[in-house]
Amino acid sequence: MREEPLFNIFAYAMKDVPAIKHSNLDKNSFFSYTDIIVNDVYDELKNSIGDRQDSEFAADAVVALNVWMWVSHKLYQAVYACRDGNMVCDRDGMECFSGATYIDEASAFYIGAEQDKGDSNSGYLLYNLAERMGELFGQTGGGESWVNKEVMSLLE
């Protein structure tokens, strides 16, 4: 992942976040920015904010940071597969996958399990988070958040 541009944008952009900047890890600890931020959420939030519990904030942080980075990683693998003859093999060359397989994997990680289209009360991953935020910011015209409509059309 470290060779992928989006990972480096996120990692270097996060290096001055107080939880990362003042961590006791080495100077390259910002490459573990998602772990540090999620742990900081647990440490900083003592009780709750409104009706949201600490664990909900931490879960949203995990989804927003870790799962999104894995989705983007799978999409980069799809690009590499198409660029390199439509197959990418693992390090030992035992398994090779096409670009379409990586797009399917990215879609699965974005949508997750038990997700109903346009429903903010089902599912657990990025699609659900986008539905909930779409409701919060009034972006759910037509039963599905604007973000999810766009992402799903790009993944088709």
Side-chain angles (χ1 to χ4, degrees), residues 3-5 75-88:
E3 70 279 356
E4 295 170 4
L75 293 173
Y76 273 110
Q77 286 183 303
V79 169
Y80 300 148
C82 292
R83 180 195 66 196
D84 299 337
N86 208 30
M87 295 297 271
V88 170

Side-chain angles (χ1 to χ4, degrees), residues 17-116:
V17 169
I20 296 169
K21 189 174 186 175
H22 303 299
S23 70
N24 293 327
L25 301 174
D26 66 42
K27 65 181 180 178
N28 291 321
S29 64
F30 62 89
F31 281 115
S32 300
Y33 69 92
T34 56
D35 297 331
I36 295 167
I37 290 173
V38 170
N39 286 324
D40 188 53
V41 168
Y42 277 119
D43 291 341
E44 294 294 324
L45 295 172
K46 299 301 180 196
N47 296 311
S48 64
I49 297 174
D51 62 349
R52 308 255 347 250
Q53 298 298 313
D54 297 351
S55 60
E56 292 179 76
F57 284 108
D60 287 348
V62 167
V63 169
L65 296 170
N66 293 325
V67 177
W68 166 247
M69 194 50 55
W70 194 250
V71 168
S72 69
H73 171 64
K74 291 297 179 179
L75 293 173
Y76 273 110
Q77 286 183 303
V79 169
Y80 300 148
C82 292
R83 180 195 66 196
D84 299 337
N86 208 30
M87 295 297 271
V88 170
C89 300
D90 62 11
R91 292 180 194 253
D92 59 9
M94 298 299 287
E95 292 186 289
C96 298
F97 301 101
S98 70
T101 301
Y102 290 117
I103 292 172
D104 287 346
E105 288 181 0
S107 300
F109 281 109
Y110 184 85
I111 298 166
E114 300 179 17
Q115 180 65 57
D116 295 324

Side-chain angles (χ1 to χ4, degrees), residues 1-19:
M1 272 184 147
R2 286 189 181 195
E3 70 279 356
E4 295 170 4
L6 191 57
F7 174 81
N8 285 295
I9 289 169
F10 269 69
Y12 283 98
M14 297 288 184
K15 74 178 183 175
D16 290 327
V17 169

